[in-house]
Amino acid sequence: AADRESNHKNRGGEYRGAVYCRRCEAYKPPRTHHCSMCGKCVLKMDHHCPWVGNCVGYHNYKYFLLFVSFTTVTAVETMYLLVGRMVWCAAAVTVREAMMCWVVGVLVVPVGIMVGCLAYYHIGLVLNNQTTIEYSEVYFNMLYDNSKARNRWDLGTFMNLASVLGDNPLCWLCPSRPKSDGTHFVTADDLV
């Protein structure tokens, strides 16, 4: 139960530094959570992904975000090309080609919608410099406290994007590893 609570705040909501993980028997840095599925602590853990059997966290979050974003763009482009083929070339489309377009469309539309929603949600998290776990903690605290919780990790839109995608905006759409080790994070208080 203690691992589900915010692992770096005391009951007053103030920052309290590193926390000891009883399961790993080690101290965990800020924004680290223990994954019961993987059996280890994950830096800046977002979620455990059952599709890849791994946690999405500090070291692979950019890859995950690019994957869901590019998959959404691909689904939209596929539908555009399919509809375009059916509408603009209707006279030249064979029955077999029309059936293939319908089959592909039936498969692409639900995937595009689901992955698009996932991409939209995670882009929103990146813009606020939050993980799914941190967002859930803030959301549920607001439900029970009726108070507006402050996100101490929010550094502003550009710096939030740079913290996940890298310092160079020209490389944001390219896969790359984070520069730091993921154990220290700048907070809004550090910028003041």
Side-chain angles (χ1 to χ4, degrees):
D3 284 328
R4 291 183 183 255
E5 296 174 19
S6 177
N7 64 345
H8 302 293
K9 294 178 183 175
N10 62 19
R11 290 202 169 124
E14 297 173 6
Y15 180 68
R16 62 182 169 133
V19 174
Y20 188 77
C21 177
R22 288 175 274 145
R23 295 178 186 151
C24 292
E25 297 181 352
Y27 284 97
K28 52 186 180 179
R31 304 183 89 176
T32 301
H33 295 273
H34 185 87
C35 175
S36 58
M37 299 295 289
C38 294
K40 62 182 178 180
C41 284
V42 179
L43 296 170
K44 198 178 173 189
M45 181 178 170
D46 188 80
H47 66 281
H48 180 86
C49 183
W51 304 109
V52 296
N54 197 8
C55 284
V56 174
Y58 179 76
H59 292 289
N60 61 358
Y61 188 73
K62 179 179 179 179
Y63 301 118
F64 169 77
L65 185 65
L66 291 177
F67 172 73
V68 295
S69 299
F70 291 160
T71 302
T72 302
V73 169
T74 302
V76 169
E77 181 182 14
T78 301
M79 284 310 301
Y80 174 77
L81 292 173
L82 286 173
V83 169
R85 178 74 178 141
M86 298 297 289
V87 171
W88 293 302
C89 304
V93 174
T94 65
V95 173
R96 182 177 178 182
E97 190 176 3
M99 291 300 292
M100 289 299 293
C101 287
W102 277 106
V103 168
V104 171
V106 165
L107 296 173
V108 168
V109 168
V111 169
I113 291 172
M114 289 185 291
V115 176
C117 290
L118 188 63
Y120 178 78
Y121 173 72
H122 279 279
I123 289 169
L125 289 176
V126 169
L127 292 175
N128 290 303
N129 201 6
Q130 286 183 309
T131 65
T132 300
I133 294 171
E134 292 164 351
Y135 174 79
S136 298
E137 290 171 349
V138 169
Y139 178 76
F140 287 116
N141 285 339
M142 285 174 34
L143 283 177
Y144 294 114
D145 295 349
N146 289 329
S147 63
K148 186 87 171 165
R150 183 175 153 263
N151 176 12
R152 63 187 306 268
W153 307 111
D154 189 357
L155 308 174
T157 304
F158 181 81
M159 288 185 70
N160 290 344
L161 286 167
S163 71
V164 172
L165 302 175
D167 296 331
N168 186 352
L170 297 175
C171 298
W172 281 0
L173 298 180
C174 302
S176 61
R177 291 188 151 271
K179 289 182 182 176
S180 72
D181 62 358
T183 59
H184 298 89
F185 296 96
V186 177
T187 65
D189 297 333
D190 296 334
L191 298 178
V192 176

